[in-house]
Amino acid sequence: MFYLTDKTSKTFATEPTEWITLIPDHLQRRHAGHPARFDRPADRELEGAAEPEFKGKASILNIPSIGIMDAAMVVESSGLHTYADKGNMTKAEIDLTMKVLTEAKQAGQFRAFWQDFNESVNLMASGETVIQSMWSPAVTKVRSMGIACTFQPLKEGYRAWASGFGLPKTLKDRKLDAAYDFVNWFLSGWAGAYLNRQGYYSAVLETAKANMEPYEWAYWMDGKPAAQDIKAPDGTVMEKAGAVRDGGSYDQRMGGVACWNAVMDENEYMVRKWNEFIAA
């Protein structure tokens, strides 16, 4: 899906060309769904959340195309089913996955279903949840508030995503030049370093590294103990010297990716079934 056959093509190329769909800007992988705040590790995402001690204290992400893949990781790691492609399920697989979620919901397992950054932060910071899915900057925010929050590594692997800039084909002349100037600036290092300090990964690691202190790079990218206090992008102390990043190095994290965000062929059916689950 990265390369196009020509400048304005709507057809993907089968091999590299000079035309691409997006200019990559950053990427990350999500824990199969659940960073946590409790005194022992969770081996699996929703399976861990389904344990009695977490009843009414768990939360998951209410975005269908993402949430269902997190749930599929649980179904698979629990031995209930093996998916041919978690990012492109059949209707039967969608039904099975939603059945698992619905049964957990009806048993009172979930405190909430969050949709944005602030909701996830508030749920964890207030103690309303003790295990939930979260985005990297949300974990950073909770920690910068002085509240313990572990971005829990999970043995079934991770769901990953990547994003990029797309330029409208209507751009021309000075507007087109300005668009490329922005993209070039974004990838020149400052923004990449800012993203890395939230737990994301810049698409151009070399320029981001040049804009980070060696101890920051060692902590965020190499998985080494912090040589000095680690600060969030806003300057607040997030981790004390000696801390090690949850999940390890860049290679360990990205090497554990089990599926990537995708739009399924049965997307409309999946969204309908997800909404039925939320309403159940």
Side-chain angles (χ1 to χ4, degrees):
M1 296 173 63
F2 190 53
Y3 294 101
L4 297 173
T5 55
D6 59 59
K7 185 176 181 179
T8 58
S9 172
K10 295 182 180 180
T11 302
F12 297 125
T14 57
E15 58 186 10
T17 69
E18 64 177 304
W19 307 110
I20 58 177
T21 55
L22 292 173
I23 301 169
D25 59 68
H26 70 299
L27 67 153
Q28 176 56 292
R29 92 284 172 273
R30 304 287 184 221
H31 290 31
H34 298 266
R37 187 182 66 181
F38 53 103
D39 60 4
R40 63 177 180 75
D43 288 333
R44 296 185 177 95
E45 173 212 318
L46 287 177
E47 187 176 352
E51 295 177 17
E53 66 182 290
F54 305 131
K55 187 172 183 178
K57 290 286 188 177
S59 178
I60 60 174
L61 176 61
N62 185 15
I63 297 178
S65 61
I66 300 174
I68 195 169
M69 278 198 281
D70 286 346
M73 302 280 279
V74 180
V75 171
E76 195 164 82
S77 65
S78 300
L80 298 175
H81 179 70
T82 299
Y83 299 84
D85 182 354
K86 286 183 281 291
N88 196 22
M89 301 180 197
T90 64
K91 286 185 177 180
E93 288 176 328
I94 292 170
D95 290 342
L96 170 64
T97 308
M98 300 318 302
K99 180 177 182 291
V100 172
L101 278 184
T102 300
E103 289 176 351
K105 181 186 179 185
Q106 292 178 335
Q109 196 62 41
F110 302 115
R111 169 64 184 86
F113 305 96
W114 64 270
Q115 287 187 301
D116 65 38
F117 173 91
N118 289 322
E119 284 181 299
S120 68
V121 170
N122 292 338
L123 285 167
M124 184 61 73
S126 67
E128 290 187 62
T129 62
V130 295
I131 185 168
Q132 67 175 63
S133 56
M134 289 179 78
W135 296 337
S136 292
V139 174
T140 300
K141 177 64 176 178
V142 172
R143 286 178 169 176
S144 67
M145 296 164 67
I147 300 169
C149 186
T150 301
F151 215 3
Q152 186 66 49
L154 300 170
K155 68 182 183 182
E156 68 268 28
Y158 309 113
R159 171 182 56 79
W161 56 267
S163 70
F165 298 115
L167 305 185
K169 66 180 181 180
T170 53
L171 288 181
K172 60 182 180 179
D173 303 328
R174 292 180 64 186
K175 288 185 178 180
L176 181 60
D177 290 341
Y180 278 117
D181 284 344
F182 169 76
V183 172
N184 286 333
W185 169 81
F186 194 93
L187 298 177
S188 67
W190 184 92
Y194 190 95
L195 288 167
N196 283 9
R197 294 186 186 103
Q198 296 183 71
Y200 288 148
Y201 296 125
S202 169
V204 185
L205 295 178
E206 294 82 358
T207 56
K209 184 176 183 179
N211 283 265
M212 299 175 74
E213 297 295 331
Y215 77 89
E216 292 181 305
W217 184 265
Y219 172 82
W220 288 110
M221 303 299 295
D222 296 334
K224 296 179 179 178
Q228 59 190 79
D229 290 353
I230 298 296
K231 295 181 179 180
D234 62 3
T236 58
V237 175
M238 190 188 73
E239 294 287 355
K240 294 292 186 179
V244 177
R245 186 182 183 187
D246 300 331
S249 68
Y250 173 88
D251 287 346
Q252 289 173 309
R253 286 165 153 254
M254 296 310 296
V257 170
C259 61
W260 287 82
N261 282 7
V263 178
M264 301 182 186
D265 292 337
E266 297 291 349
N267 184 67
E268 291 185 10
Y269 180 80
M270 181 274 295
V271 171
R272 186 165 70 251
K273 290 299 180 180
W274 181 273
N275 290 336
E276 290 175 4
F277 151 66
I278 292 296

